Amino acid sequence: MTTIAMGEMEQLRKEADNLKDQITAARKAMQDTTLQEAAASINVVGRVQLKTRKTLRGHLAKIYAMHWSTDSKLCVSASQDGKLIVWDSITTNKVNAIPLKSSWVMTCAYAPSGNLVACGGLDNMCSIYNLKGKDGNVKVMRELAAHTGYLSCCRFLSDSEIITSSGDCTCVLWDIETGTQKTIFAGHQGDCMSLAVSPDFKFFISGACDFTAKLWDIREGTCRQTFGGHESDINAIGFFPNGNAVITGSDDASCKLYDLRADQELITYQDSSIMCGVTSLAPSLSGRLLLAGYDDFNVNIWDTLKAERVGVLAGHDNRVSCIGVSSDGMACCTGSWDSFLKIWN
Amino acid sequence: MSNNNASNNLIIAQRAVKQLRLEASVRRIKVSQAADDLKNFCLQNATRDPLLMGIPSSDNPFRPPKSCSLF
């Protein structure tokens, strides 16, 4: 390396460090209080006791992902038995049982329209299935291939666009029609594990194995903000229902809430008795409750404003791998390595 | 080749600085305002949150209502 280049590298390193210090200081300057203090006058939510209302039986192996349809009735689940199952959660009937080319599935998603579902995993691809095909058969509509690592998560923006996160450290916005990448979101320094789309569909957030969460502007293709603080991989991420905050779940056994407008962490959900990783999370409709799935087979329910545990869902015989609250807030669905899905309320 | 590596590292470092500049320039609000807005959203929507309020069995689609009607 030339002396000139070395000098420039040193300059850039110094500038990067300066900017990081600037960001830390700017965030600190906004800390006129804490969320704990602001919520001091509010009482903790009373004990939340949800019961299993339905058990969805049918998968023959570990369930890795589930996603509610926007109708709050149907949901899709993905299992390493090589099947995607669309369930009617009220009757427990299987509406569709879709055999997959690759059984190493890690994620699934339901399109807002209800017309399509998607899945992907160790095949590095995102496969799109049309549920409303003319002859009634569910077929692969598109195979989105370009990631050089596993597909960890996917979420539809519409029937024509989907966002994926990958073990190759990038997220991608795809044009489903043409099967091409519209935008590549690069910046994470570790496997991207999870993503969530903002309620207004303008942004998405990603959680990665570099211990950070990033907020991305979908149309600009840029990373707006980066949130650190976790001490291990972020496995789960979700938006607070008003779209102004982000909740993450990590292998460090904690969940954190970051406010987007204050650009910083406001509170951590952790307990010394919890020593295992968070696998999944979902807020309730008002955002007051945070339901988080853990490696110890339980779901803990947190009061998001008071950071106190207010309930536990114990019912699975193995790790809770996925969780989702329906759009109308009426039910929570958990999926587990024990091969069952449970509906709670 | 060491020259290519060097220029790659330079480009990566330049991109990192550019990204940090972007993130440093974000407009921030006070934590008090952020906390109040979160608090208010929770409180205002509390009664509409079924998992928080509990659901009477007659309104719970996942629970068939108990009835003793004879047809």
Side-chain angles (χ1 to χ4, degrees):
Chain A
M1 204 163 147
T2 64
T3 317
I4 296 170
M6 261 162 49
E8 201 177 335
M9 273 304 282
E10 192 46 44
Q11 213 180 339
L12 288 168
R13 209 167 307 174
K14 276 197 186 139
E15 204 178 340
D17 285 342
N18 275 342
L19 287 164
K20 283 179 193 164
D21 289 343
Q22 249 181 69
I23 292 171
T24 304
R27 284 170 168 166
K28 198 148 189 218
M30 295 294 116
Q31 284 167 16
D32 53 347
T33 185
T34 62
L35 178 54
Q36 305 255 214
E37 278 166 40
S41 58
I42 302 179
N43 289 328
V44 184
V45 158
R47 189 114 196 112
V48 176
Q49 285 172 317
L50 306 183
K51 297 206 171 93
T52 303
R53 301 297 178 192
K54 307 282 177 185
T55 299
L56 306 180
R57 298 182 169 89
H59 279 301
L60 303 170
K62 294 176 176 169
I63 291 171
Y64 276 80
M66 69 77 49
H67 195 212
W68 282 100
S69 168
T70 48
D71 71 359
S72 298
K73 197 175 66 131
L74 302 179
C75 65
V76 63
S77 61
S79 162
Q80 293 205 346
D81 63 4
K83 291 248 167 42
L84 267 193
I85 298 182
V86 176
W87 310 83
D88 178 323
S89 62
I90 297 178
T91 63
T92 73
N93 287 339
K94 298 175 191 51
V95 178
N96 302 103
I98 306 163
L100 305 173
K101 268 191 203 172
S102 162
S103 63
W104 304 113
V105 66
M106 295 173 70
T107 182
C108 62
Y110 222 124
S113 65
N115 295 330
L116 311 172
V117 287
C119 68
L122 294 182
D123 59 355
N124 299 0
M125 288 194 317
C126 183
S127 300
I128 314 285
Y129 294 84
N130 185 355
L131 296 177
K132 309 284 169 80
K134 284 192 184 127
D135 53 0
N137 279 336
V138 176
K139 284 184 294 209
V140 182
M141 201 181 98
R142 212 56 93 226
E143 280 175 343
L144 308 173
H147 277 301
T148 54
Y150 59 87
L151 205 84
S152 53
C153 193
C154 57
R155 285 293 177 257
F156 285 92
L157 293 182
S158 66
D159 280 3
S160 52
E161 289 180 315
I162 192 168
I163 300 183
T164 56
S165 62
S166 168
D168 67 11
C169 308
T170 70
C171 295
V172 171
L173 169 68
W174 302 83
D175 178 325
I176 295 175
E177 202 55 41
T178 59
T180 55
Q181 300 162 292
K182 269 182 153 167
T183 314
I184 298 174
F185 301 89
H188 274 300
Q189 312 261 293
D191 299 14
C192 293
M193 298 302 291
S194 187
L195 77 97
V197 180
S198 65
D200 65 5
F201 291 92
K202 290 185 181 162
F203 301 96
F204 77 94
I205 42 174
S206 57
C209 293
D210 60 6
F211 313 173
T212 71
K214 284 179 180 287
L215 176 76
W216 306 87
D217 183 319
I218 296 176
R219 298 305 152 194
E220 300 279 308
T222 53
C223 169
R224 289 280 200 95
Q225 292 164 263
T226 301
F227 302 98
H230 274 298
E231 293 168 351
S232 189
D233 301 352
I234 293 175
N235 299 315
I237 200 162
F239 269 94
F240 188 85
N242 70 356
N244 287 337
V246 157
I247 306 178
T248 53
S250 165
D251 270 346
D252 69 9
S254 78
C255 294
K256 285 177 185 290
L257 183 142
Y258 299 92
D259 189 280
L260 298 179
R261 294 175 307 155
D263 184 41
Q264 58 191 278
E265 175 189 329
L266 291 193
I267 207 159
T268 299
Y269 307 100
Q270 69 189 357
D271 189 296
S272 53
S273 65
I274 303 171
M275 290 177 288
C276 60
V278 178
T279 61
S280 48
L281 62 86
S284 69
L285 198 75
S286 67
R288 187 65 194 269
L289 301 177
L290 170 66
L291 296 100
Y294 292 73
D295 282 340
D296 67 359
F297 312 175
N298 289 329
V299 170
N300 287 315
I301 306 178
W302 298 86
D303 177 327
T304 53
L305 298 180
K306 306 293 283 181
E308 282 189 40
R309 227 182 343 169
V310 293
V312 175
L313 301 182
H316 283 292
D317 295 325
N318 206 323
R319 176 186 291 192
V320 172
S321 56
C322 50
I323 196 167
V325 170
S326 54
S327 326
D328 64 4
M330 290 288 277
C332 160
C333 177
T334 53
S336 166
W337 280 10
D338 68 8
S339 82
F340 303 118
L341 294 137
K342 285 180 185 284
I343 310 287
W344 312 74
N345 67 16
Chain B
M1 303 240 237
S2 63
N3 269 343
N4 266 342
N5 258 342
S7 52
N8 275 346
N9 284 341
L10 213 56
I11 291 172
I12 291 170
Q14 283 163 350
R15 278 200 197 133
V17 165
K18 191 176 173 203
Q19 179 58 36
L20 283 168
R21 274 200 207 121
L22 208 100
E23 293 183 23
S25 70
V26 99
R27 280 182 61 212
R28 299 171 182 85
I29 64 170
K30 297 268 184 191
V31 171
S32 54
Q33 196 195 330
D36 279 347
D37 287 351
L38 283 175
K39 211 175 63 177
N40 289 335
F41 186 88
C42 285
L43 297 175
Q44 281 159 19
N45 288 286
T47 52
R48 270 172 265 172
D49 187 339
L51 294 179
L52 183 64
M53 304 303 309
I55 309 166
S57 0
S58 49
D59 297 341
N60 192 346
F62 297 94
R63 234 184 143 181
K66 292 186 177 137
S67 57
C68 301
S69 46
L70 298 165
F71 289 98

